[in-house]
Amino acid sequence: MHGGAWSSSAETKDVVSAAIRAAYLDTDNQLLAQHQGESGGACATTAVVKGGHLYVAHVGDCRAVLSRNGTADALTADHTCAREDERARIERLGGYVRCGGSGVWR
């Protein structure tokens, strides 16, 4: 593959990834604006096929799974604070996580 083809493919990937990210951020901003002072949560999973490539994004507890010859392959990893690396990421960004009386991380 020559440099021009790689550059075009990389640019397409960047454009698709940026569009998915922008859509998630726009949705988040709209929800926050419409529901000020309320608490809650949401989850979403998106799959886009473009140019023979599959782009998958998710937030919250949603999962994307692809079936290949009857075998389920996970395309995403849950964003749950029960995972130690996810708790560390949340805390590193200034958030907090606690384990409730029922033993469930929130």
Side-chain angles (χ1 to χ4, degrees):
M1 179 180 296
H2 61 73
W6 170 251
S7 174
S8 175
S9 177
E11 289 172 13
T12 298
K13 179 180 176 185
D14 289 345
V15 168
V16 173
S17 296
I20 293 170
R21 181 177 176 81
Y24 273 68
L25 291 172
D26 185 49
T27 300
D28 190 43
N29 287 331
Q30 288 184 39
L31 287 170
L32 289 171
Q34 292 175 12
H35 302 282
Q36 292 180 6
E38 296 178 25
S39 65
C43 63
T45 299
T46 302
V48 176
V49 177
K50 180 167 177 63
H53 296 279
L54 174 63
Y55 301 85
V56 178
H58 76 114
V59 294
D61 293 337
C62 291
R63 288 184 185 156
V65 179
L66 179 67
S67 175
R68 294 182 190 190
N69 299 319
T71 301
D73 289 331
L75 299 180
T76 59
D78 292 354
H79 292 165
T80 173
C81 50
R83 285 184 19 213
E84 188 174 328
D85 63 328
E86 184 67 1
R87 283 195 308 275
R89 184 190 71 80
I90 292 167
E91 291 170 350
R92 187 175 54 253
L93 293 171
Y96 71 94
V97 184
R98 65 180 173 84
C99 188
S102 62
V104 177
W105 288 95
R106 300 279 181 212

